[in-house]
Amino acid sequence: MHRRPPLRLLLVGPLLAALASAVRADDWPQWLGTYRDGVWRETGILTKFPQGGPKVIWRVPIAGGFSGPAVADGRIYVMDREGDEVKKGSETPGKDGLKSKERVLCLDAKDGKELWKHEYDCLYKVLYPSGPRTTPVVKGGYVWTLGSMGDICCLEADSGKLVWTKNLPKEYNTKPPLWGYSAHLLVDGDKVISLCGGDGSAVVALNKLTGEELWKALMVEEVGYAPPMIFEAGEHRQLIVFHTEAVNALDPESGQLFWSQKFPGKPPERPGITVATPKKSGDLLYLTEPHHGSLMLKFLPERPAVDVVWRSKENASLSKTDGLHALMSTPVVKDGYVYGVCSFGELRCVNAQTGERIWETYDATSGKKQLFANAFLVPQGERFWIFNDHGDLILADLSPKGYKEIDRAHIIEPTLTSRGREVVWCHPAFANKCLYVRNDKELICISLAGSRL
């Protein structure tokens, strides 16, 4: 006869599961975290910095680059560049380029000690040549990386053993974007998807374990820098590719084009600059770039197609902005409003339904109007963590009512000279109740854990 388990045993399973969930540390295994949405979901995080600032758990040397760290399974994966030095204040590699080694580093998340590294030679011929731009992707025991000159590597995550490598410019008879390959790789099913360039290969899908081409699609003069994204909408999974002439939706399995919406609405300035990650909120899709502002689309419910909700004025420009003209920072769409950093450092709030600007402030960036002043926004619960290019970490409330700063700490020194000022342009990772961030000299781990009761 089957006996029902005692009540205490029935309660133990759910209780243990709840406790495990409560103490589980979240990873940040790719660009913008586990779900590629830039939201930090851990709890038990401090609500104000301790006196003297947050605790630095460790710091380790690193070479040049903009590559943000990925954090997965107790390890950190990040890229850098060693080789010929970049002349201080220079944005160019010189006519002969810079002899370089790009490196993929794997570190222990507890203490920053190096576990393995993979390196390869490459000649840098891109602007801002300090190092790689993209965040590694870690999934299923492998790590995929994309270097500035178009080298894709697949490595075993535990050992660093090279599984395959491919150079996109050589493979597709193209050349790197002016500022280097910067669109973070997307791993989906058996595919690794990357912006590329060349004849009919603006975006390519490769077998993630062999590097074999599965499909290629789209033709454009400049692919830009915006990461590809996959969203569920219109009863389909839609691969969103935002290049310098249009936003496109493709079938991620075949590369078949579902729809394309020209943006900007007039011939773009050259070189084209599309950097910010496309953001979905409900049935809305938001896109922004510095020269032409913003575009809000609405997914149709029954098929893969979109309607235009609103777009920036045609006469908008980099120096005369009407809404949000984001450059590096990916905006946050929350509760019917868009929060993002404009081209001159204005942190702005925009009505998601109309594009109307609600407020702006320079307090989160340079304190004044300054070209390319930047900050990265990461929501966590009802608050925002803001890391600006001065190396400051800010805890703030953002709402339609305005910007309310809760606390601020200077956590890392800017080391890159750009347009006469020192900056740090690396998106941090938030995992293990810590922040991981780097400049061109060091990678640091900072505790953001709240006090235990």
Side-chain angles (χ1 to χ4, degrees):
M1 180 177 178
H2 178 73
R3 292 184 179 180
R4 185 176 179 178
L7 179 61
R8 67 178 184 276
L9 295 181
L10 291 174
L11 295 175
V12 166
L15 179 60
L16 290 177
L19 289 173
S21 176
V23 300
R24 179 179 60 85
D26 279 352
D27 280 344
W28 194 275
Q30 63 172 331
W31 172 244
L32 297 185
T34 300
Y35 302 101
R36 211 170 167 93
D37 60 1
V39 177
W40 189 20
R41 291 177 170 83
E42 285 188 294
T43 57
I45 307 303
L46 56 76
T47 57
K48 197 171 179 63
F49 294 129
Q51 188 173 0
K55 179 183 178 181
V56 177
I57 298 177
W58 51 258
R59 58 179 75 233
V60 296
I62 197 170
F66 306 93
S67 169
V71 184
D73 302 321
R75 296 183 172 201
I76 298 168
Y77 302 85
V78 69
M79 297 184 71
D80 68 2
R81 183 195 73 89
E82 289 189 329
D84 291 347
E85 291 188 9
V86 181
K87 184 178 179 181
K88 187 174 177 62
S90 174
E91 299 174 3
T92 70
K95 64 178 182 178
D96 297 323
L98 296 176
K99 293 181 180 179
S100 307
K101 282 186 181 293
E102 283 190 331
R103 306 192 302 172
V104 182
L105 305 176
C106 176
L107 312 176
D108 192 316
K110 296 191 301 292
D111 52 23
K113 289 184 179 178
E114 184 179 299
L115 300 176
W116 57 257
K117 69 180 176 182
H118 172 74
E119 59 185 23
Y120 51 89
D121 293 328
C122 62
L123 184 67
Y124 262 51
K125 291 188 174 182
V126 294
L127 298 185
Y128 286 93
S130 63
R133 282 88 161 116
T134 65
T135 299
V137 183
V138 190
K139 192 172 185 178
Y142 297 90
V143 55
W144 294 265
T145 61
L146 173 62
S148 293
M149 300 303 296
D151 294 285
I152 295 184
C153 295
C154 172
L155 305 153
E156 293 182 356
D158 286 344
S159 66
K161 179 182 176 181
L162 180 66
V163 179
W164 61 266
T165 185
K166 180 169 289 191
N167 181 268
L168 294 177
K170 291 179 181 177
E171 197 77 19
Y172 292 94
N173 191 28
T174 185
K175 59 182 181 180
L178 189 64
W179 287 282
Y181 281 97
S182 307
H184 310 269
L185 296 175
L186 172 61
V187 174
D188 175 61
D190 63 350
K191 305 173 294 301
V192 55
I193 299 171
S194 178
L195 297 194
C196 179
D199 186 9
S201 51
V203 56
V204 298
L206 310 175
N207 183 292
K208 69 181 184 182
L209 296 182
T210 67
E212 177 188 1
E213 180 188 299
L214 300 176
W215 56 257
K216 62 180 182 177
L218 302 180
M219 184 78 175
V220 66
E221 184 177 341
E222 295 169 274
V223 293
Y225 311 89
M229 299 290 287
I230 292 179
F231 300 123
E232 297 251 2
E235 300 182 357
H236 286 74
R237 300 176 74 242
Q238 300 185 35
L239 170 64
I240 304 300
V241 178
F242 179 30
H243 58 53
T244 62
E245 297 176 12
V247 53
N248 311 270
L250 290 77
D251 179 352
E253 298 305 321
S254 66
Q256 174 191 348
L257 182 66
F258 286 142
W259 55 262
S260 182
Q261 173 64 50
K262 190 173 182 180
F263 178 62
K266 58 182 179 180
E269 281 86 352
R270 297 295 182 189
I273 306 174
T274 48
V275 182
T277 305
K279 294 303 293 284
K280 180 179 181 290
S281 179
D283 60 359
L284 297 178
L285 178 64
Y286 178 73
L287 305 111
T288 179
E289 62 97 48
H291 287 111
H292 300 275
S294 300
L295 172 69
M296 183 69 83
L297 302 174
K298 184 175 183 178
F299 289 108
L300 299 189
E302 72 283 358
R303 59 189 174 90
V306 290
D307 285 335
V308 175
V309 180
W310 55 264
R311 67 190 310 153
S312 294
K313 297 175 182 177
E314 288 295 320
N315 61 356
S317 67
L318 184 65
S319 58
K320 186 179 180 181
T321 58
D322 67 329
L324 179 58
H325 292 223
L327 178 58
M328 284 175 279
S329 180
T330 293
V332 174
V333 185
K334 185 176 182 180
D335 299 331
Y337 294 88
V338 181
Y339 303 93
V341 178
C342 214
S343 305
F344 283 83
E346 311 96 321
L347 173 58
R348 286 178 172 169
C349 172
V350 173
N351 186 307
Q353 293 294 333
T354 65
E356 174 193 4
R357 188 194 312 168
I358 307 301
W359 55 257
E360 72 172 41
T361 180
Y362 293 97
D363 290 348
T365 54
S366 295
K368 61 181 180 179
K369 188 173 184 177
Q370 199 160 36
L371 183 61
F372 300 157
N374 186 58
F376 297 111
L377 313 179
V378 174
Q380 181 253 332
E382 296 303 313
R383 310 171 302 171
F384 281 74
W385 293 93
I386 303 174
F387 177 68
N388 70 21
D389 62 12
H390 291 276
D392 294 340
L393 181 63
I394 300 169
L395 183 59
D397 286 330
L398 304 184
S399 75
K401 296 180 180 179
Y403 168 83
K404 181 181 178 182
E405 188 167 311
I406 299 170
D407 210 349
R408 174 188 299 235
H410 185 69
I411 60 171
I412 197 168
E413 295 303 315
T415 54
L416 173 72
T417 302
S418 175
R419 299 180 181 267
R421 65 189 189 96
E422 300 296 305
V423 297
V424 53
W425 284 337
C426 166
H427 199 299
F430 293 85
N432 306 323
K433 298 186 179 181
C434 293
L435 173 142
Y436 303 86
V437 71
R438 54 87 64 86
N439 56 21
D440 289 327
K441 294 182 179 179
E442 62 178 356
L443 171 68
I444 65 174
C445 171
I446 290 177
S447 174
L448 295 179
S451 300
R452 294 183 179 179
L453 298 178

